C-alpha cells in the first residue's frame, strides 16, 4: 500500500498559500512544536500485523452513532474561524462532509452562522460548545445551536484559559457569539489566570446543569484522565472525545495513545469514545479503532485541504483517509469496524 | 573485519544511473521510507559476540534445501520487471546466481519469459506466483512455470491490493502473464478496495487448492503472524518466507526480527523458514540464521548490483555477502550453518 | 496555553549582546554541553495530566519558608560576578526579586557588596557561602553576610575544585572576599587536585562547625545522594538544594529529576527541599513541586533577562515563570502548592 | 570540572595534519563508524554520583601490577606502525609513557625495533604478540621480545582475519617480523577466509603452548565472552584485556561496558582485568575502574597526541586523563583506586 502523497501535498500547499500568521495559528501547539510531533508519532509507532488470505469482499467501513448512519468513522473536529483558511469557510467543510457521508463538529467560534452552515450541509451537524463565562451567557448560544438543528452537543472543557489570539483580519469573527469572551478585570495583587480567567471557567457543576439543558446527545471534549471519563458517564454524557486538543493547550501531556486503553477499559460500552490529536492517516484511524475508539476526529489535516482547494480539498482528505482505512482493513483481514476492534495491535 | 564499501558503492551508482521514477519505484516503501529504514536497522541492532581461538579450517557455508545443494544460504528474492534496471534483466540475475552456486525466485512479473530465464540459468529456478484473480486464470501461469522447470513455487500472499504502478517504459512488461490484473469494475457506492481488488484476492481455500496443483515444494511468502505460519504448515506447505515485503505493502508493521523467534519456535523443523526484508550484509544473514532461519533472501541489494554492472554486479553482491558471512563465522567461532543456529545472539 | 517566547527571546538577546567569552562562561557545563541539555530535557520529559472542570478561582501560588512569605516559590540561584552580564549587577537582580515578592541567594563571588545589595533590595536576602580554604578565613565572610542581614546561609559544597576561570574584566571582582582563593603550592610529585585544591576543601566536620556559627537557617547546596541529604538533616541543616550545579562541576551526573523522589521520601518534612538545574518554565517548576520540592531555583534563565534588560529583564522572567506556573495549575486543577504536591505526575 | 578541550584539540589537529588515507586507517572501524561511536557513548552514558565533603588530601591514583608500580592506571594500548603518525614513532610513545610513570604495550607491528624502543623507554615495556601463522614462526618473535626485556606478553586473539591494509608508505614496515603474514594460497572452490586465513589462526591449544614459552605474565587481549575469560584463567593467564579492538574487527558487537560486569564477577581477583575500546577521558577511566577493571588502556586518543606533537603530545594526553581521573575522584569522594572500585556507579 503505497501512501498517496495527498496529505503532505496539501500541507505544503497550505503553508505556501496562507499568510504566515495564519499558518502559525493553525499549526501552533502550546510549546515549541514538540507536542504536535509527539501526538502524530505516537500513532505511527503502533505496529500493524499483516494477516493475508482472509475473505473480505463484503467488507465495509460503515458505522452508526446516536442513530446517525455514516459511511465511515472519520469525523471533522471543531476548528475555529475557518474563513481564515478559505473563503468557503465552515460551509465548505460542511458540504464536503455531507458529500463523504460523514459528520463534523461546528465550532462555537465558527466564522459563519450555525443556521447557515447546517442549511448548506443538508444534514444535521454537531455543535461544539465553549463556556461563555457563566450559565446565563452560555444558554443562548446552546439554544441557538439546538434551534438550528444541531444533532449533538460537544462541550469542550480543556481550554479554559484563552491565550492572546492572533489578530483576526477584517471580516472574520465569531459570528455566533453575542460578545467575545474576555478576562474579568482584576484588582491589584490578583492573578490574571486565577481571578481573570478561571472564575469564568466551567466546573463539573456546570456539566450537570448543561446535561439538563441539552436535549440531544452530549459529549465532553478534552478528557485525558480515566477518572474524568467515568465522571462524564456519571454526569449522563453520551460520549467523550479523548483529546489533548492537538497539543494546543498544555505542553508535555501524555499522548492519546497512552491514555486510551485505560479509558476504554473503564467506560467502553457505557458511552461513545471518540479520539483526536495527531491522526494523520487511515492507518492511524485503524489503530485508534483497534485500541477501542468508536470513531476518530481529524483537525489540522482537513484544514490543509480546505486552505488548498476549499470544499473539494476537504472532501478529498476524507476520501483518502477512508481509502487508506479500507486498505489497512484489507491487509489485516478486518471486514468491519467490529472486526478491527477485535484485532489486538501488535505488541513487540 | 573492515566492511568493503561494495554495497554502498552499488547503491550510489544505481541511484546515479537509473531514471528518477525507476529509482523511486525500486526504493519505495508503503509510507515515507521509515519502514525501509526500520527493517535494515532491526538487523543491525542485533549484537554479535566475538569468540576467538576456535578451530575453523574445515568451516563452510554450504547448505541443502529440498534436495538442492547450494554453496551458501543467500537467495535472491523475487523482484518484478528487472529489465527496468538493466538490459540483462532476469537473465542476468539468473546467470549470476548460478555462477555463485545459489538460488533465485523468478517473479510472476518477470520481464523475460520463465522458459528463457531457466534455460540461460542452466539450473532449475524457483518461481514466485501471484494470484491471477481466480483459479482459472492462475492455473495456466503455474503450469507454465512448472513446465519450464521451476523446482519450487513461492506463492506471495501479502500484496493483494495493487497500487497504481509507475508507467512501464516501452519494451518492459510482464511477459509471462496472459493479461495484466486490474481491479473489477465497481458499482456506485461500492468500494474500490473491497469490491474492486479484494474480491480477486486469494484466500486460505485457494492455498489448499494450490497445494493440490503444485507438484514441487510450495512456499508461502509474506507471512508475519505465528498463526499464519502454523496454518501454512497445516496446509502442507514445505516452506514459508517470513517477510514484510521489504516494507512495500503495509507501513508500520513489525520487523522480521521481531516476529521470527516466535515463528521458529512454533514451526521450526516442520517447514523451511526463509526470511527477507532489510538484509544488507553477511552479518545480517548470520543473525537471521542464528535466530533460526534456514536461509535468507535479499531484494533491493542485488538490484543495485544489477543496475550498476548487470550480471557481474549481481554476482559480486552475492559473493561479498558470502565472504562477510564467512568472516562473521570465523570471528564468532561457527564452522557451519548448523553451528550458527546453535549460537544464541548476544542479549544485552 | 501557548508558551510566550519570552525566555528564548532573552536567551537570543543575551547571546547577541554579551562578549563571546562571557556568554561561554555563562552557558558552560563541565563537558561538551550535553549535561546542560540533559538537565533541561529531564524536566520536559515529565508529563502533565490535564484535569479540567475544577473550581479554581481562589487559587494561589503563595508560600512560606523559614517565616518568610513569598508570592511564589521561584527563587534565584546564586550566580557569581553579575556585573559581567549587566551594569545593574546583583543589585538589579535583588530589586527585581523584591518587586516580584520572591527571594534570591547572593553569591560569595558577588561583584557588589552584600551590604549594598541587601540595602537596595529592601528585604533580607539569602547568602551563598563558598568555603575559604579553612575555618579562619571562612568565618569573616560568614559574619559579614550575617551582619548585613542575610536571612539564610546556603553553603555550596559541590564545587571544591576551582577550574581556571575566564579572565575577569576590569572592574569586576569578588568584592566580598578578603582575597581570591588559589590552590596551595605543591611539592614535586604532589597532585594539584588532591594536594593543591582538596586540602582546602570543606568536609562534613566543617559542616558541623558551621552549624554552630550560623544563627539563621542553614542550607547545603549541591547534594544529589540520598545519604548526603540525610546527613545534612543529621547535621542540623534546615534545608538542602538538590542540584548538580547546572551541570557545571561534574559531567554525566544523574539529573535532579532522577534523584529527587528518593530524597523526598527520605528527608521530606525534616528539612526544606529546594532544587535547581535545568528549570526553564513554570511547567518545570510545577513538576518539581509535584515531585515533592518545596521551592525551585533558576540560574541561567534570569541572567538572560539581566543581560538583556537589567533589573526589568529579571523581573519579567520571574513574572513569566509564575504566570506559566499559574496556568499549569489552572489546567491540572491544582489551587495551591499543597495541591500540586498531591498530584502525582503522569507515569506512562 | 570544566573539561579541558585538549583531546578534541588533538583530534582536530591530527585530522588536519595526517594524509587522508592514514587518518582513515587510524579512525576506521569494521563498519560505517557506528561501533566506534557506540563504544565511546557507552562509557559516557554511565552516570557519576557527586559525593562532596569527603576528606581527600592524601588521595592518589597510584597502583601496582605484576610487581610494577605506576603513578596511574592508564596504559597505552598496542597500535601498529606508529611512524605513520609521527617520525617519533613508538619511541616517542615510550618516552612519554615513562615520563608519565605508566606502561605501554608495544605492537607486533611496531615500526621500530622492540630493542630500540625499550632501550629509549628506560623501563621494561609490555609486548603485544600477534600469531605468526604457526608455532615455529611465532616463537622467534616472542623470544626476541623477551630478550629485549618485555615485562609482560599481551597475546591479541581477536583479529585472526587480516583485511587488506592500506599501502604502507616508504620507510614504514613491521620491522620486528621476519616476514609479513599472508593468506595461504587456496585451491579453486576453497574459501579465502576459512582455508586462506583461518588455518593460520591460533586456537586455545596454542594458548596452552604459549603459556609454556612465556616466562613473564601473559595476558589475552580481545576477550568479550565470560566463558573465554574463565578459559584464559584456566589456561594460566595472569590477565585479560576485555576489548572489542576499538570496533575494528567485528561490527555490532556489544560494548565493553555491557560485558565487563559479568566478567568481573566471574574472574575478578583470579586474573588482572584490563579494558579498552572507547575510553576518552579520565571520567571514562574512573567508570571502568568502578565497574571492576584493574586498569584501562587507550588507543586512538594518544595517537592523536602523537600525530600533533610527538612524544610531548602523548605525555600531555596521559597527564590530562590522569588529572581528570583525579578530579573525578575528588568530586565523588574516592581517595584511591580501591575506593573507586567500592563505589557503585549510579543506576537510574
Ligand atoms: C486552528 C485550530 C482551531 C481549533 N479550534 C477549536 C475550537 O474552536 N474548539 C475546539 O473544541 N477545538 C478546537 N481545536 C482543536 C481541534 O478540535 C482538535 O482537538 C485538534 O485539532 C485535533 O488534533 P489534530 O489537529 O492533530 O488532528 C482547534 C484546532 C486547531 C488546529
Ligand atoms: C522493486 C521491487 C519489486 C518487487 N517485486 C516483487 C514481486 O514481483 N513479487 C514478490 O513476491 N516480491 C516482490 N518484491 C519484494 C521482494 O521479493 C522482497 O520481499 C523484498 O524486496 C525484501 O526486502 P529488501 O528489498 O529490503 O531486501 C519486490 C521488491 C522490490 C524492491
Ligand atoms: C554563570 C554561573 C555562575 C554561578 N555561580 C555560582 C556561585 O557563585 N555559587 C553557587 O553556589 N552556584 C553558582 N552557580 C550555580 C547556580 O547557583 C545553579 O546551581 C545553576 O545555575 C542551576 O542551573 P540552571 O542554570 O540550569 O538553572 C552558577 C551558575 C552559573 C550559570
Ligand atoms: C590504528 C590502530 C592500530 C592498532 N593496532 C593494533 C595492534 O597492532 N595490535 C593490537 O592488539 N591492537 C591494535 N589496535 C587496537 C588497540 O590496541 C585497542 O584495542 C583499541 O584501539 C582501543 O580502542 P580505542 O582506540 O577506542 O581506545 C589498533 C588500533 C588502532 C586504532
Amino acid at each position: 500500500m503505497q501512501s498517496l502523497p495527498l496529505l503532505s501535498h496539501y500541507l505544503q500547499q497550505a503553508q505556501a498559500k496562507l499568510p504566515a500568521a495564519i499558518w502559525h495559528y493553525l499549526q501552533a501547539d502550546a510549546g515549541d512544536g514538540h507536542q504536535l510531533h509527539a501526538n502524530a508519532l505516537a500513532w505511527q509507532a503502533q505496529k500493524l500485523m499483516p494477516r493475508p488470505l482472509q475473505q473480505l469482499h463484503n467488507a465495509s467501513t460503515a458505522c452508526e452513532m446516536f442513530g446517525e448512519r455514516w459511511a465511515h468513522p472519520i469525523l471533522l473536529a471543531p476548528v475555529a474561524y475557518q474563513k481564515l483558511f478559505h473563503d468557503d469557510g465552515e460551509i465548505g467543510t460542511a458540504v464536503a462532509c455531507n458529500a463523504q457521508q460523514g459528520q463534523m463538529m461546528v465550532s462555537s467560534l465558527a466564522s459563519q452562522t450555525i443556521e447557515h452552515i447546517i442549511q448548506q450541509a443538508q444534514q444535521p451537524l454537531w455543535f461544539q460548545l465553549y463556556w461563555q463565562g457563566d450559565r446565563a451567557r452560555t444558554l443562548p448560544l446552546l439554544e441557538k445551536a439546538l434551534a438550528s438543528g444541531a444533532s449533538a452537543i460537544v462541550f469542550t472543557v480543556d481550554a479554559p484559559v484563552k491565550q492572546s489570539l492572533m489578530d483576526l483580519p477584517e471580516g472574520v469573527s465569531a459570528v455566533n457569539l453575542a460578545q467575545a469572551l474576555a478576562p474579568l478585570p482584576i484588582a491589584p495583587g490578583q492573578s490574571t489566570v486565577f481571578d481573570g480567567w478561571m472564575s469564568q471557567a466551567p466546573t463539573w457543576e456546570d456539566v450537570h446543569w448543561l446535561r439538563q439543558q441539552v436535549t440531544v446527545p452530549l459529549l465532553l471534549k478534552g478528557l485525558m484522565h480515566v477518572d474524568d471519563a467515568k465522571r462524564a458517564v456519571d454526569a449522563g454524557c453520551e460520549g467523550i472525545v479523548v483529546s489533548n486538543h492537538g497539543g494546543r493547550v498544555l505542553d508535555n501531556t501524555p499522548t492519546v495513545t497512552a491514555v486510551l486503553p485505560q479509558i476504554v477499559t473503564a467506560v467502553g460500552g457505557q458511552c461513545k469514545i471518540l479520539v483526536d490529536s495527531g491522526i494523520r492517516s487511515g492507518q492511524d484511524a485503524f489503530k485508534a479503532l483497534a485500541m477501542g475508539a468508536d470513531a476518530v476526529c481529524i483537525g489540522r489535516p482537513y484544514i490543509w485541504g480546505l486552505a488548498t482547494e476549499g470544499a473539494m480539498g476537504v472532501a478529498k482528505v476524507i476520501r483518502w483517509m477512508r481509502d487508506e482505512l479500507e486498505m489497512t482493513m484489507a491487509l489485516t483481514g478486518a471486514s468491519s469496524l467490529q472486526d478491527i476492534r477485535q484485532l489486538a495491535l501488535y505488541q513487540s
Side-chain angles (χ1 to χ4, degrees), chain A:
Chain A
M1 189 171 77
Q2 181 161 350
S3 175
L4 305 176
L6 180 93
L7 203 58
S8 28
H9 171 71
Y10 278 154
L11 181 150
Q12 284 164 21
Q13 291 297 105
Q15 178 158 22
K17 226 176 132 182
L18 293 175
I22 294 181
W23 173 251
H24 181 81
Y25 164 66
L26 173 58
Q27 292 301 106
D29 74 2
D32 56 3
H34 127 276
Q35 186 74 46
L36 182 61
H37 189 61
N39 280 349
L41 221 64
W43 290 112
Q44 260 184 49
Q46 307 290 326
K47 303 283 175 223
L48 296 169
M49 175 58 86
R51 297 302 303 265
L53 297 171
Q54 303 302 311
Q55 171 61 268
L56 285 177
H57 58 216
N58 280 329
S60 150
T61 60
C63 52
E64 183 272 340
M65 197 176 285
F66 310 139
E68 302 182 5
R69 308 192 73 85
W70 307 323
H72 55 83
I74 301 156
L75 280 72
L76 304 184
V79 171
Y81 307 114
Q82 299 193 8
K83 279 174 66 181
L84 283 176
F85 309 111
H86 193 277
D87 285 345
D88 286 357
E90 286 80 4
I91 289 173
T93 299
V95 167
C97 174
N98 176 273
Q100 293 299 330
Q101 307 166 56
Q103 186 51 288
M104 75 177 276
M105 305 168 184
V106 179
S107 168
S108 279
L109 302 173
S111 54
Q112 293 165 325
T113 66
I114 169 78
E115 297 87 337
H116 201 187
I117 301 167
I118 291 187
Q119 187 185 333
Q120 297 293 313
Q122 300 184 306
Q123 72 173 62
L125 299 177
W126 293 12
F127 181 74
Q128 177 269 326
L129 181 72
Y130 271 134
W131 193 246
Q132 296 301 308
D134 60 28
R135 295 178 187 182
R137 278 180 292 165
T138 303
L139 197 55
L141 179 60
L142 172 66
E143 285 173 342
K144 181 174 169 176
L146 292 172
S148 308
S151 58
I153 298 298
V154 180
F155 181 35
T156 300
V157 298
D158 61 1
V161 185
K162 304 287 178 293
Q163 290 295 316
S164 61
L165 197 68
M166 55 167 298
D167 288 323
L168 290 174
E170 272 280 314
V172 180
S173 68
V175 297
N176 293 291
L177 302 190
Q179 60 183 112
L181 206 61
L184 290 188
I186 53 169
Q190 281 192 311
S191 140
T192 327
V193 172
F194 295 129
D195 304 299
W197 282 117
M198 291 309 288
S199 53
Q200 300 187 100
T203 65
W204 281 105
E205 292 305 304
D206 297 316
V207 172
H208 288 282
W209 169 82
L210 195 64
R211 176 66 294 186
Q212 309 298 323
Q213 319 308 318
V214 173
T215 48
V216 295
L218 174 65
L219 301 93
L220 295 194
K221 175 167 181 281
L223 304 184
M224 292 288 286
H225 196 289
V226 66
D227 290 349
D228 290 339
K230 287 184 199 161
R231 205 153 166 186
V233 169
D234 293 345
C237 297
E238 280 88 353
I240 57 174
V241 186
V242 181
S243 164
N244 63 18
H245 211 108
R248 295 170 79 84
V249 175
L250 180 63
D251 201 20
N252 283 312
T253 64
T255 59
V256 166
T257 57
V259 300
L260 184 56
Q262 210 189 339
I263 291 177
V264 168
T265 305
V267 302
Q270 303 182 55
C271 74
K272 293 296 175 187
I273 301 174
L274 292 82
V275 301
D276 73 24
S277 299
I279 290 178
R280 295 291 175 269
S281 69
Q283 290 181 19
D284 292 346
F286 180 97
K287 290 165 180 179
L289 298 168
M291 291 171 83
D294 294 291
V296 305
C297 318
I298 51 173
R300 294 175 188 86
Y302 78 86
I303 300 294
W304 301 334
L306 181 69
T308 311
E309 299 187 328
M312 178 55 75
V314 177
K316 285 196 201 158
V317 167
I318 302 172
R319 181 73 221 185
W320 173 77
M321 289 201 58
R322 177 182 165 181
D323 284 349
E324 277 224 321
L325 174 58
E326 289 187 356
M327 285 190 283
T328 307
M329 291 170 69
L331 296 170
T332 56
S335 62
S336 67
L337 302 199
Q338 206 47 45
D339 267 22
I340 295 177
R341 230 156 277 142
Q342 267 140 30
L343 281 179
L345 285 184
Y346 172 78
Q347 311 284 351
S348 67

